[in-house]
Amino acid sequence: MENDSTILSLRGLVKRYGEATALERVDLDVRRGEFLTFLGPSGSGKTTTLNLIAGFIEATEGSMLLDGEPLEKLQAHERNLGVVFQHYALFPHMTASGNVEFPLKQRKMSKSERTTAVQAALEMVRLGSYADRYPRQLSGGQQQRVALARAVVYRPPILLMDEPLGALDKKLREWLQLELRRIHRELGSTFIYVTHDQEEALVLSDRIAVFNEGRIEQIGSAHDLYDAPETLFVGRFIGESTVIKGTFADGRFTAAGRGLQVTGSIPSGRGAVLIRPENLAISGPDGTGLPDRAVNRIEGTIEDIVYLGPARKYNIATEHGTAIVRVPEREAAAARIGDRVMFGWAPDDAVLLADTETPVEAVSAT
Ligand code: ADP
Ligand code: MG
């Protein structure tokens, strides 16, 4: 059931193209005023879901409610939603202000109201002094900001964005991410944003919906997804992790013949423990110096060392696959590539997950 804080509900959305299924089934309640991001690999159904909301395509099954009203019966232009896509070209023969004014003319707003609204929208995207420029006289980032001003100038309740920063270089993208956060705060409207870039999702979002193969695997804050992934897919997709596969049985976990301590709600059958890089401690091969609580200990060989400024990251080859350990730079020891090391973790720093991935021959599940 949706409630007052829900602006948009998607129920059992399915989209098929002939034999091909673009969306398996999507259920989602979007909260009023939130910055929600659809995150997932290419082909997972993010754009399809956004296009269904925008009204650019029709669902095969399922329903959508905007403020409790069925959305399907409205044409795209009647839905009154703002849209910014990666390549949603501006009208080339109109200036920046002409572009931003266009949706207001369509809505029959008076000239004086239009002038005020256009100027405010251009100032919001920091292009107040570029009103008379044509798109060809603007950089890619400036054009996307004009497109954003055009999409929000009529105050749509929801702004839909599909990889709007995808074509821009990294520095500009990072700056515009901060700008988008500010604009979201200033407008107070609901933003739905699509990206395949997990860092971008973490920076921008109040909540993230992780898409995989036409479904939402998990929805939550960045913190929820990082600390408590509910599936191996989500755990691997958000942030970095060490994944050790094995078998849960009778409250115990065995990986490659080795028993490891686990705690909390313990699954059964094929599964994995997942540990974030900052929750692993590292020492020389004898384990001296590992904290007492790091009772699970595994040996390996350093494959790579990456300097991250405030931290140092070790990739360690083990019989369970590659482990990733991150240590604050001031605590980092003088280890080198090729050194034998031991790393360890406390049972309550690991996430326990069922293994739903296709079995790999090399993984021994004893
Ligand atoms: P994403 O935006 O997450 O990269 P999409 O929603 O664009 O993914 O696509 C989801 C799946 O649907 C993909 O497998 C894609 O090939 C398929 N798909 C999308 N549009 C069409 C179409 N018009 N005809 C056939 N298949 C499509
Ligand atoms: Mg897409």
Side-chain angles (χ1 to χ4, degrees), residues 264-297:
S265 167
I266 301 172
S268 65
R270 272 192 332 120
V273 299
L274 180 149
I275 314 112
R276 295 303 186 183
E278 62 278 14
N279 289 329
L280 289 175
I282 186 172
S283 73
D286 60 0
T288 324
L290 286 180
D292 290 343
R293 59 192 294 272
V295 293
N296 291 316
R297 298 178 175 198

Side-chain angles (χ1 to χ4, degrees), residues 17 20-22 41-48:
Y17 292 100
T21 303
S42 177
S44 57
K46 308 179 299 293
T47 294
T48 302

Side-chain angles (χ1 to χ4, degrees), residues 197-217:
D197 178 345
Q198 57 112 5
E199 279 181 45
E200 181 160 285
L202 295 179
V203 168
L204 288 174
S205 322
D206 295 318
R207 289 196 304 161
I208 300 169
V210 181
F211 278 69
N212 184 29
E213 298 187 339
R215 290 172 184 274
I216 295 176
E217 288 233 352

Side-chain angles (χ1 to χ4, degrees), residues 2 64 103 131 156 158 204 216 229 262 284 295 299 311 317 332 358:
E2 83 266 12
M64 299 182 282
I158 303 181
L204 288 174
I216 295 176
V262 288
V295 293
E299 265 188 86
T358 318

Side-chain angles (χ1 to χ4, degrees), residues 90-101 111 115 118-119 122 127-138 142 146:
L90 299 173
F91 302 116
H93 59 287
M94 289 184 195
T95 60
S97 67
N99 270 278
V100 177
E101 190 179 17
K111 177 70 191 163
T115 307
V118 167
Q119 192 56 30
L122 284 173
L127 289 174
S129 55
Y130 290 70
D132 296 330
R133 296 244 192 139
Y134 286 88
R136 65 174 184 280
Q137 299 170 313
L138 298 168
Q142 290 167 338
V146 175

